[in-house]
Short mmCIF file of all heavy atoms in Angstrom, two decimals:
data_model
loop_
_atom_site.label_atom_id
_atom_site.label_comp_id
_atom_site.label_asym_id
_atom_site.label_seq_id
_atom_site.Cartn_x
_atom_site.Cartn_y
_atom_site.Cartn_z
N ILE E 368 -15.98 20.94 2.47
CA ILE E 368 -16.15 19.59 3.00
C ILE E 368 -14.75 19.00 3.23
O ILE E 368 -13.90 19.06 2.33
CB ILE E 368 -16.94 18.70 1.99
CG1 ILE E 368 -18.30 19.35 1.67
CG2 ILE E 368 -17.13 17.29 2.56
CD1 ILE E 368 -19.05 18.67 0.53
N PRO E 369 -14.49 18.44 4.43
CA PRO E 369 -13.15 17.90 4.69
C PRO E 369 -12.81 16.72 3.76
O PRO E 369 -13.66 15.88 3.52
CB PRO E 369 -13.24 17.43 6.14
CG PRO E 369 -14.42 18.12 6.74
CD PRO E 369 -15.39 18.37 5.60
N VAL E 370 -11.59 16.71 3.28
CA VAL E 370 -11.12 15.59 2.43
C VAL E 370 -10.29 14.65 3.29
O VAL E 370 -9.35 15.09 3.96
CB VAL E 370 -10.28 16.12 1.25
CG1 VAL E 370 -9.86 14.94 0.35
CG2 VAL E 370 -11.03 17.17 0.45
N ARG E 371 -10.66 13.39 3.28
CA ARG E 371 -9.96 12.40 4.11
C ARG E 371 -9.39 11.29 3.22
O ARG E 371 -9.93 11.04 2.13
CB ARG E 371 -10.91 11.79 5.12
CG ARG E 371 -11.49 12.83 6.04
CD ARG E 371 -12.08 12.19 7.29
NE ARG E 371 -12.64 13.23 8.16
CZ ARG E 371 -13.73 13.08 8.88
NH1 ARG E 371 -14.35 11.92 8.90
NH2 ARG E 371 -14.16 14.06 9.65
N PRO E 372 -8.38 10.57 3.70
CA PRO E 372 -7.84 9.47 2.91
C PRO E 372 -8.86 8.34 2.79
O PRO E 372 -9.77 8.24 3.60
CB PRO E 372 -6.62 9.02 3.73
CG PRO E 372 -6.77 9.62 5.07
CD PRO E 372 -7.65 10.82 4.95
N PRO E 373 -8.71 7.46 1.81
CA PRO E 373 -9.68 6.38 1.58
C PRO E 373 -9.84 5.47 2.81
O PRO E 373 -10.92 4.91 3.02
CB PRO E 373 -9.07 5.58 0.42
CG PRO E 373 -8.13 6.52 -0.25
CD PRO E 373 -7.66 7.51 0.76
N GLU E 374 -8.81 5.37 3.62
CA GLU E 374 -8.90 4.50 4.80
C GLU E 374 -9.99 4.96 5.75
O GLU E 374 -10.58 4.19 6.50
CB GLU E 374 -7.57 4.47 5.59
CG GLU E 374 -6.39 3.89 4.82
CD GLU E 374 -5.85 4.84 3.74
OE1 GLU E 374 -5.67 6.04 4.03
OE2 GLU E 374 -5.64 4.39 2.59
N ALA E 375 -10.32 6.28 5.72
CA ALA E 375 -11.35 6.83 6.61
C ALA E 375 -12.74 6.34 6.21
O ALA E 375 -13.68 6.43 7.01
CB ALA E 375 -11.32 8.34 6.58
N PHE E 376 -12.86 5.82 4.98
CA PHE E 376 -14.19 5.44 4.47
C PHE E 376 -14.80 4.33 5.31
O PHE E 376 -16.01 4.33 5.62
CB PHE E 376 -14.07 5.00 3.01
CG PHE E 376 -15.37 4.93 2.28
CD1 PHE E 376 -16.26 6.01 2.25
CD2 PHE E 376 -15.71 3.80 1.55
CE1 PHE E 376 -17.47 5.93 1.55
CE2 PHE E 376 -16.91 3.71 0.86
CZ PHE E 376 -17.79 4.79 0.87
N ALA E 377 -13.97 3.35 5.70
CA ALA E 377 -14.47 2.19 6.40
C ALA E 377 -14.39 2.35 7.92
O ALA E 377 -14.51 1.35 8.64
CB ALA E 377 -13.66 0.96 5.97
N ASP E 378 -14.24 3.56 8.41
CA ASP E 378 -13.86 3.74 9.80
C ASP E 378 -14.82 4.63 10.59
O ASP E 378 -14.40 5.66 11.13
CB ASP E 378 -12.44 4.34 9.82
CG ASP E 378 -11.85 4.35 11.21
OD1 ASP E 378 -12.29 3.56 12.06
OD2 ASP E 378 -10.97 5.20 11.46
N PRO E 379 -16.08 4.32 10.79
CA PRO E 379 -16.85 3.21 10.18
C PRO E 379 -17.43 3.67 8.87
O PRO E 379 -17.43 4.86 8.55
CB PRO E 379 -17.94 2.99 11.21
CG PRO E 379 -18.22 4.36 11.76
CD PRO E 379 -16.90 5.11 11.72
N TYR E 380 -17.98 2.72 8.08
CA TYR E 380 -18.62 3.09 6.82
C TYR E 380 -19.78 4.06 7.07
O TYR E 380 -20.53 3.90 8.03
CB TYR E 380 -19.18 1.85 6.12
CG TYR E 380 -18.16 0.98 5.42
CD1 TYR E 380 -18.02 -0.36 5.77
CD2 TYR E 380 -17.38 1.52 4.41
CE1 TYR E 380 -17.10 -1.16 5.12
CE2 TYR E 380 -16.47 0.69 3.74
CZ TYR E 380 -16.31 -0.63 4.11
OH TYR E 380 -15.41 -1.41 3.48
N PRO E 381 -19.96 5.04 6.17
CA PRO E 381 -21.18 5.88 6.25
C PRO E 381 -22.37 5.04 5.80
O PRO E 381 -22.19 3.94 5.29
CB PRO E 381 -20.87 7.01 5.27
CG PRO E 381 -19.92 6.41 4.27
CD PRO E 381 -19.13 5.37 5.01
N ASP E 382 -23.59 5.59 5.93
CA ASP E 382 -24.76 4.86 5.45
C ASP E 382 -24.90 5.01 3.94
O ASP E 382 -25.32 4.11 3.24
CB ASP E 382 -26.03 5.43 6.13
CG ASP E 382 -25.96 5.26 7.64
OD1 ASP E 382 -25.77 4.11 8.08
OD2 ASP E 382 -26.04 6.26 8.38
N TYR E 383 -24.54 6.21 3.45
CA TYR E 383 -24.64 6.53 2.02
C TYR E 383 -23.35 7.21 1.58
O TYR E 383 -22.68 7.87 2.39
CB TYR E 383 -25.82 7.48 1.74
CG TYR E 383 -27.17 6.81 1.89
CD1 TYR E 383 -27.72 6.59 3.15
CD2 TYR E 383 -27.89 6.40 0.78
CE1 TYR E 383 -28.97 5.97 3.29
CE2 TYR E 383 -29.14 5.79 0.90
CZ TYR E 383 -29.65 5.58 2.17
OH TYR E 383 -30.87 4.98 2.30
N ALA E 384 -23.02 7.09 0.30
CA ALA E 384 -21.85 7.82 -0.21
C ALA E 384 -22.19 8.36 -1.61
O ALA E 384 -22.67 7.62 -2.48
CB ALA E 384 -20.64 6.89 -0.29
N VAL E 385 -21.96 9.64 -1.78
CA VAL E 385 -22.17 10.27 -3.09
C VAL E 385 -20.93 9.98 -3.94
O VAL E 385 -19.82 10.30 -3.56
CB VAL E 385 -22.34 11.81 -2.96
CG1 VAL E 385 -22.64 12.41 -4.34
CG2 VAL E 385 -23.45 12.15 -1.99
N LEU E 386 -21.16 9.36 -5.08
CA LEU E 386 -20.03 8.99 -5.94
C LEU E 386 -19.66 10.16 -6.85
O LEU E 386 -20.11 10.27 -7.99
CB LEU E 386 -20.38 7.76 -6.79
CG LEU E 386 -19.23 7.20 -7.62
CD1 LEU E 386 -18.05 6.80 -6.76
CD2 LEU E 386 -19.69 6.01 -8.46
N PHE E 387 -18.84 11.05 -6.31
CA PHE E 387 -18.42 12.23 -7.07
C PHE E 387 -17.52 11.82 -8.25
O PHE E 387 -17.56 12.43 -9.32
CB PHE E 387 -17.72 13.24 -6.18
CG PHE E 387 -18.65 13.96 -5.23
CD1 PHE E 387 -18.44 13.89 -3.86
CD2 PHE E 387 -19.73 14.70 -5.69
CE1 PHE E 387 -19.28 14.55 -2.97
CE2 PHE E 387 -20.57 15.38 -4.82
CZ PHE E 387 -20.35 15.29 -3.46
N ALA E 388 -16.68 10.81 -8.04
CA ALA E 388 -15.78 10.34 -9.10
C ALA E 388 -16.52 9.31 -9.96
O ALA E 388 -16.07 8.17 -10.13
CB ALA E 388 -14.50 9.76 -8.51
N TRP E 389 -17.65 9.71 -10.52
CA TRP E 389 -18.52 8.75 -11.24
C TRP E 389 -17.84 8.17 -12.47
O TRP E 389 -18.16 7.08 -12.91
CB TRP E 389 -19.84 9.43 -11.62
CG TRP E 389 -19.71 10.68 -12.41
CD1 TRP E 389 -19.69 11.95 -11.87
CD2 TRP E 389 -19.57 10.83 -13.83
NE1 TRP E 389 -19.53 12.87 -12.88
CE2 TRP E 389 -19.46 12.21 -14.10
CE3 TRP E 389 -19.51 9.92 -14.89
CZ2 TRP E 389 -19.30 12.70 -15.39
CZ3 TRP E 389 -19.36 10.42 -16.18
CH2 TRP E 389 -19.26 11.79 -16.41
N ASN E 390 -16.86 8.89 -13.00
CA ASN E 390 -16.11 8.38 -14.15
C ASN E 390 -15.17 7.23 -13.79
O ASN E 390 -14.58 6.62 -14.66
CB ASN E 390 -15.35 9.52 -14.85
CG ASN E 390 -14.58 10.40 -13.87
OD1 ASN E 390 -15.15 10.88 -12.89
ND2 ASN E 390 -13.33 10.61 -14.13
N HIS E 391 -15.00 6.99 -12.48
CA HIS E 391 -14.19 5.85 -12.03
C HIS E 391 -15.07 4.86 -11.28
O HIS E 391 -14.60 4.15 -10.38
CB HIS E 391 -13.06 6.31 -11.11
CG HIS E 391 -12.12 7.28 -11.75
ND1 HIS E 391 -11.23 6.91 -12.75
CD2 HIS E 391 -11.89 8.61 -11.55
CE1 HIS E 391 -10.52 7.98 -13.13
NE2 HIS E 391 -10.90 9.02 -12.41
N ALA E 392 -16.36 4.81 -11.63
CA ALA E 392 -17.33 4.03 -10.85
C ALA E 392 -16.89 2.57 -10.67
O ALA E 392 -16.88 2.06 -9.54
CB ALA E 392 -18.71 4.12 -11.51
N GLU E 393 -16.54 1.91 -11.77
CA GLU E 393 -16.25 0.48 -11.67
C GLU E 393 -15.08 0.22 -10.75
O GLU E 393 -15.12 -0.67 -9.89
CB GLU E 393 -15.92 -0.10 -13.05
CG GLU E 393 -17.19 -0.42 -13.83
CD GLU E 393 -16.89 -0.97 -15.23
OE1 GLU E 393 -15.80 -1.53 -15.42
OE2 GLU E 393 -17.76 -0.78 -16.09
N GLU E 394 -14.02 1.02 -10.95
CA GLU E 394 -12.81 0.84 -10.15
C GLU E 394 -13.11 1.09 -8.66
O GLU E 394 -12.69 0.28 -7.81
CB GLU E 394 -11.72 1.80 -10.65
CG GLU E 394 -10.42 1.72 -9.90
CD GLU E 394 -9.32 2.55 -10.54
OE1 GLU E 394 -9.47 3.00 -11.70
OE2 GLU E 394 -8.28 2.74 -9.87
N ILE E 395 -13.81 2.15 -8.36
CA ILE E 395 -14.07 2.51 -6.97
C ILE E 395 -15.05 1.52 -6.31
O ILE E 395 -14.80 1.04 -5.19
CB ILE E 395 -14.57 3.97 -6.86
CG1 ILE E 395 -13.40 4.90 -7.19
CG2 ILE E 395 -15.14 4.25 -5.46
CD1 ILE E 395 -13.79 6.36 -7.31
N MET E 396 -16.10 1.16 -7.02
CA MET E 396 -17.07 0.22 -6.42
C MET E 396 -16.46 -1.13 -6.19
O MET E 396 -16.79 -1.82 -5.22
CB MET E 396 -18.30 0.14 -7.31
CG MET E 396 -19.16 1.38 -7.21
SD MET E 396 -20.53 1.23 -8.37
CE MET E 396 -21.61 2.52 -7.80
N ALA E 397 -15.51 -1.55 -7.07
CA ALA E 397 -14.83 -2.84 -6.88
C ALA E 397 -13.93 -2.75 -5.65
O ALA E 397 -13.92 -3.65 -4.79
CB ALA E 397 -14.04 -3.20 -8.12
N LYS E 398 -13.20 -1.65 -5.57
CA LYS E 398 -12.26 -1.45 -4.44
C LYS E 398 -12.98 -1.37 -3.11
O LYS E 398 -12.51 -1.86 -2.10
CB LYS E 398 -11.51 -0.14 -4.74
CG LYS E 398 -10.41 0.20 -3.82
CD LYS E 398 -9.85 1.61 -4.16
CE LYS E 398 -9.04 1.64 -5.44
NZ LYS E 398 -8.51 2.99 -5.72
N GLU E 399 -14.16 -0.75 -3.13
CA GLU E 399 -14.93 -0.50 -1.90
C GLU E 399 -16.12 -1.46 -1.79
O GLU E 399 -17.17 -1.09 -1.31
CB GLU E 399 -15.40 0.96 -1.83
CG GLU E 399 -14.28 1.98 -1.83
CD GLU E 399 -13.44 1.95 -0.55
OE1 GLU E 399 -13.75 1.18 0.40
OE2 GLU E 399 -12.45 2.70 -0.52
N ARG E 400 -15.89 -2.70 -2.25
CA ARG E 400 -16.97 -3.71 -2.20
C ARG E 400 -17.54 -3.83 -0.79
O ARG E 400 -18.74 -3.99 -0.60
CB ARG E 400 -16.38 -5.07 -2.65
CG ARG E 400 -17.29 -5.89 -3.51
CD ARG E 400 -16.57 -7.12 -4.02
NE ARG E 400 -15.45 -6.80 -4.90
CZ ARG E 400 -14.18 -7.10 -4.66
NH1 ARG E 400 -13.80 -7.73 -3.58
NH2 ARG E 400 -13.23 -6.77 -5.53
N GLY E 401 -16.68 -3.71 0.20
CA GLY E 401 -17.10 -3.88 1.60
C GLY E 401 -18.20 -2.90 2.01
O GLY E 401 -19.00 -3.21 2.92
N PHE E 402 -18.23 -1.76 1.38
CA PHE E 402 -19.23 -0.75 1.70
C PHE E 402 -20.64 -1.28 1.41
O PHE E 402 -21.53 -1.24 2.27
CB PHE E 402 -18.94 0.53 0.87
CG PHE E 402 -19.97 1.60 0.97
CD1 PHE E 402 -20.36 2.14 2.18
CD2 PHE E 402 -20.55 2.12 -0.19
CE1 PHE E 402 -21.31 3.16 2.25
CE2 PHE E 402 -21.49 3.14 -0.13
CZ PHE E 402 -21.88 3.65 1.09
N ARG E 403 -20.81 -1.83 0.20
CA ARG E 403 -22.12 -2.39 -0.16
C ARG E 403 -22.46 -3.60 0.73
O ARG E 403 -23.57 -3.76 1.18
CB ARG E 403 -22.13 -2.82 -1.63
CG ARG E 403 -22.26 -1.70 -2.63
CD ARG E 403 -23.54 -0.90 -2.43
NE ARG E 403 -24.72 -1.74 -2.38
CZ ARG E 403 -25.49 -2.05 -3.41
NH1 ARG E 403 -25.18 -1.62 -4.60
NH2 ARG E 403 -26.54 -2.83 -3.26
N GLU E 404 -21.40 -4.42 0.96
CA GLU E 404 -21.62 -5.62 1.75
C GLU E 404 -22.06 -5.29 3.18
O GLU E 404 -22.78 -6.05 3.80
CB GLU E 404 -20.36 -6.50 1.76
CG GLU E 404 -20.16 -7.18 0.40
CD GLU E 404 -18.73 -7.72 0.20
OE1 GLU E 404 -17.93 -7.68 1.15
OE2 GLU E 404 -18.46 -8.18 -0.92
N SER E 405 -21.64 -4.12 3.65
CA SER E 405 -22.02 -3.74 5.03
C SER E 405 -23.34 -2.97 5.01
O SER E 405 -23.73 -2.39 6.04
CB SER E 405 -20.93 -2.86 5.64
OG SER E 405 -21.00 -1.57 5.12
N GLY E 406 -24.02 -2.91 3.85
CA GLY E 406 -25.32 -2.28 3.79
C GLY E 406 -25.31 -0.84 3.28
O GLY E 406 -26.35 -0.20 3.20
N GLY E 407 -24.10 -0.34 2.95
CA GLY E 407 -23.99 1.02 2.44
C GLY E 407 -24.57 1.15 1.02
O GLY E 407 -24.67 0.15 0.29
N ARG E 408 -24.99 2.35 0.67
CA ARG E 408 -25.56 2.55 -0.67
C ARG E 408 -24.91 3.77 -1.34
O ARG E 408 -24.60 4.77 -0.69
CB ARG E 408 -27.08 2.77 -0.55
CG ARG E 408 -27.67 1.65 0.31
CD ARG E 408 -29.11 1.40 0.12
NE ARG E 408 -29.55 1.26 -1.25
CZ ARG E 408 -30.82 1.29 -1.62
NH1 ARG E 408 -31.74 1.48 -0.72
NH2 ARG E 408 -31.14 1.16 -2.87
N TRP E 409 -24.75 3.63 -2.64
CA TRP E 409 -24.14 4.70 -3.43
C TRP E 409 -25.23 5.65 -3.95
O TRP E 409 -26.26 5.19 -4.43
CB TRP E 409 -23.38 4.15 -4.63
CG TRP E 409 -22.15 3.36 -4.28
CD1 TRP E 409 -22.02 2.00 -4.23
CD2 TRP E 409 -20.88 3.89 -3.90
NE1 TRP E 409 -20.74 1.64 -3.88
CE2 TRP E 409 -20.02 2.78 -3.67
CE3 TRP E 409 -20.35 5.18 -3.74
CZ2 TRP E 409 -18.69 2.94 -3.28
CZ3 TRP E 409 -19.04 5.33 -3.34
CH2 TRP E 409 -18.23 4.22 -3.11
N ILE E 410 -24.95 6.92 -3.87
CA ILE E 410 -25.81 7.93 -4.47
C ILE E 410 -25.12 8.44 -5.73
O ILE E 410 -23.95 8.86 -5.67
CB ILE E 410 -26.06 9.12 -3.51
CG1 ILE E 410 -26.75 8.63 -2.25
CG2 ILE E 410 -26.88 10.22 -4.22
CD1 ILE E 410 -26.86 9.70 -1.16
N ARG E 411 -25.84 8.38 -6.84
CA ARG E 411 -25.27 8.86 -8.11
C ARG E 411 -26.13 9.97 -8.66
O ARG E 411 -27.32 10.04 -8.37
CB ARG E 411 -25.16 7.68 -9.09
CG ARG E 411 -24.40 6.50 -8.45
CD ARG E 411 -23.95 5.51 -9.45
NE ARG E 411 -23.08 6.13 -10.45
CZ ARG E 411 -22.43 5.46 -11.39
NH1 ARG E 411 -22.56 4.15 -11.46
NH2 ARG E 411 -21.69 6.08 -12.28
N TYR E 412 -25.54 10.83 -9.45
CA TYR E 412 -26.32 11.94 -10.03
C TYR E 412 -26.06 12.12 -11.52
O TYR E 412 -26.51 13.10 -12.12
CB TYR E 412 -26.01 13.25 -9.26
CG TYR E 412 -24.56 13.62 -9.21
CD1 TYR E 412 -23.95 14.30 -10.26
CD2 TYR E 412 -23.76 13.23 -8.13
CE1 TYR E 412 -22.63 14.61 -10.23
CE2 TYR E 412 -22.41 13.51 -8.09
CZ TYR E 412 -21.86 14.23 -9.14
OH TYR E 412 -20.52 14.50 -9.10
N VAL E 413 -25.38 11.16 -12.14
CA VAL E 413 -25.15 11.19 -13.58
C VAL E 413 -25.72 9.88 -14.12
O VAL E 413 -25.31 8.80 -13.65
CB VAL E 413 -23.65 11.27 -13.92
CG1 VAL E 413 -23.42 11.18 -15.42
CG2 VAL E 413 -23.07 12.56 -13.37
N PRO E 414 -26.64 9.90 -15.06
CA PRO E 414 -27.23 11.07 -15.71
C PRO E 414 -28.35 11.70 -14.90
O PRO E 414 -28.81 12.78 -15.23
CB PRO E 414 -27.80 10.46 -17.01
CG PRO E 414 -28.15 9.04 -16.64
CD PRO E 414 -27.14 8.63 -15.60
N ASP E 415 -28.83 11.01 -13.84
CA ASP E 415 -29.85 11.60 -12.97
C ASP E 415 -29.63 11.10 -11.56
O ASP E 415 -28.82 10.19 -11.32
CB ASP E 415 -31.26 11.30 -13.47
CG ASP E 415 -31.44 9.80 -13.73
OD1 ASP E 415 -30.68 8.99 -13.10
OD2 ASP E 415 -32.28 9.42 -14.55
N VAL E 416 -30.34 11.70 -10.60
CA VAL E 416 -30.14 11.32 -9.19
C VAL E 416 -30.77 9.96 -8.94
O VAL E 416 -31.96 9.78 -9.19
CB VAL E 416 -30.77 12.40 -8.28
CG1 VAL E 416 -30.62 11.99 -6.80
CG2 VAL E 416 -30.11 13.75 -8.52
#
Side-chain angles (χ1 to χ4, degrees):
I368 302 171
V370 183
R371 299 198 181 145
E374 297 74 47
F376 195 52
D378 190 23
Y380 283 122
D382 300 304
Y383 289 78
V385 183
L386 186 58
F387 289 121
W389 54 267
N390 46 310
H391 300 291
E393 278 179 26
E394 180 172 347
I395 289 172
M396 286 176 165
K398 186 185 288 181
E399 299 292 356
R400 219 174 296 118
F402 173 56
R403 284 302 308 269
E404 287 164 6
S405 77
R408 310 202 49 193
W409 292 102
I410 298 172
R411 307 196 57 174
Y412 55 85
V413 176
D415 50 24
V416 177

